[in-house]
Amino acid sequence: MRVDIVYQGRERAVPELAEALAVEVAELTRILSAREREILQTHLITEVAGTLQELIGAAERQVAAMNAELEERPTSTGMKLRLVWRASRRAPQGLAQARERLRQSADAWSPEDRAAVGAFLQEQIAHRQADDSAGSWLEDLTAALDYRSWYEFGVERHQHGKWVPASGPASGGERVLAASVPLFAAASSHYASASGAHGPRLVTLDEAFAGVDDDSRAKCLGLLRAFDLDVVMTSEREWACYPQVPGIAIAQLTRVDDIDAVLVTRWEWDGSERRRGTEPDARADTLAATAVAGDSGEWPDGPVSPSRGPGRTAVVDSAGGQGALWT
């Protein structure tokens, strides 16, 4: 069997064909590289670099707001913590220099600055294409210019007059505080950025303080209140009935093997005493009675306590105002 190979209008031997194809691939790569540079200079440098500048700047401001939350709410143990947003261990080379230029407006860049930022962005695209050649041009751009992969978060504690990594030697309670408190500050700062001042500030915890002594759990839960967060938590043994917690509604779930049912027993903690909570049907009756009594909330025999929604306890702060809702 004989195979004739025709390429560019004439027959070619296999070695000659391979050489010609290699030359063509190199030429197309050169043309594409030139096109990439043109796109970078006319679009990415001005548009993407400006967007990166805004996003990275916003992230730095958010970290500053989180640290302000931490500064305003120190732990009862005196531990001072802060978040740091730093270049990750796998950060691309030249990130520090590119970041300094991105701190400036693109309009203020010199030709050298523009060329350096363009080279940095182009290098990230080239690395991405080399790692995953199957991706589309858009996918490569999206992954290559995702600034979040260039950075990582760290937690530091103030010790002996300087900031050190919080991952050093510490007690179990201190480790839990070092891991939890910055997250509470992050959630509080995130909710503070919302426009609605009276919206819920919800966090959910699942066995968050397992294996920690009662004193440390009480401090963590007290900090949740200090950050004005609305909490829903589940636990096998945690009742959250500590003086640091001003109020909480508890649903105790009990079941017996071979019985397809769960008993729900309601409790309420008011900061000093735990007592049986009102069942939903009784709450509905109280609500109806309050409505009949009128807007004044008065019966002939005296005032009627305001009804509370099922499964929630209204927390009143020391100033007498309405506080967070804890479930």
Side-chain angles (χ1 to χ4, degrees), residues 8-312:
Q8 293 182 340
R10 64 187 183 89
E11 292 186 3
R12 306 268 187 157
V14 172
E16 184 183 2
L17 174 65
E19 182 180 355
L21 290 174
V23 171
E24 184 172 3
V25 168
E27 178 63 15
L28 290 175
T29 300
R30 184 189 64 80
I31 295 173
L32 181 59
S33 297
R35 178 59 177 165
E36 286 178 350
R37 285 194 296 271
E38 181 183 350
I39 292 174
L40 282 169
Q41 292 174 358
T42 60
H43 176 67
L44 294 183
I45 292 298
T46 55
E47 299 294 334
V48 174
T51 301
L52 285 174
Q53 181 185 44
E54 294 175 3
L55 292 173
I56 294 175
E60 291 179 336
R61 290 190 295 273
Q62 187 72 15
V63 172
M66 296 176 193
N67 285 327
E69 294 271 354
L70 288 170
E71 183 71 22
E72 293 173 4
R73 298 172 176 84
T75 66
S76 58
T77 62
M79 179 190 297
K80 294 178 63 177
L81 300 168
R82 74 174 182 182
L83 281 167
V84 290
W85 194 53
R86 61 200 176 204
S88 70
R89 298 174 182 85
R90 297 179 295 177
Q93 293 184 354
L95 174 61
Q97 294 83 350
R99 180 68 192 100
E100 286 302 316
R101 291 183 170 93
L102 287 173
R103 291 181 188 275
Q104 308 171 15
S105 170
D107 296 333
W109 284 347
S110 66
E112 292 77 14
D113 292 334
R114 189 174 298 275
V117 173
F120 174 78
L121 297 178
Q122 190 173 21
E123 184 179 358
Q124 308 319 306
I125 297 171
H127 284 320
R128 175 63 186 177
Q129 291 175 329
D131 294 338
D132 183 13
S133 58
S136 67
W137 173 248
L138 178 59
E139 291 171 340
D140 288 339
L141 282 180
T142 301
L145 303 178
D146 185 358
Y147 70 97
R148 295 170 298 180
S149 64
W150 305 342
Y151 294 90
E152 65 182 10
F153 277 101
V155 181
E156 295 181 345
R157 63 180 296 180
H158 197 260
Q159 190 174 35
H160 305 307
K162 61 180 181 180
W163 291 100
V164 298
S167 56
S171 66
E174 289 177 331
R175 284 195 295 269
V176 169
L177 285 172
S180 302
V181 174
L183 296 179
F184 299 160
S188 178
S189 174
H190 175 71
Y191 282 123
S193 66
S195 58
H198 303 291
R201 297 161 56 88
L202 183 65
V203 295
T204 59
L205 303 175
D206 180 22
E207 295 288 358
F209 310 121
V212 181
D213 61 86
D214 289 349
D215 181 62
S216 296
R217 290 201 301 271
K219 292 172 181 174
C220 286
L221 289 168
L223 281 169
L224 282 168
R225 178 63 181 89
F227 282 111
D228 192 26
L229 294 172
D230 303 322
V231 183
V232 176
M233 62 185 299
T234 62
S235 176
E236 184 178 353
R237 59 177 296 272
E238 179 62 69
W239 285 79
C241 297
Y242 304 107
Q244 293 88 338
V245 178
I248 192 167
I250 304 164
Q252 180 187 12
L253 308 182
T254 309
R255 72 177 186 86
V256 178
D257 292 340
D258 301 325
I259 297 180
D260 296 331
V262 176
L263 173 64
V264 181
T265 307
R266 300 180 184 276
W267 302 83
E268 293 182 1
W269 167 258
D270 61 5
S272 60
E273 182 181 1
R274 183 178 69 198
R275 59 174 63 90
R276 285 291 298 271
T278 306
E279 296 302 321
D281 291 344
R283 293 172 189 266
D285 293 342
T286 304
L287 179 61
T290 305
V292 171
D295 295 338
S296 65
E298 296 284 338
W299 284 98
D301 296 332
V304 177
S305 298
S307 174
R308 295 169 179 168
R312 308 196 101 190

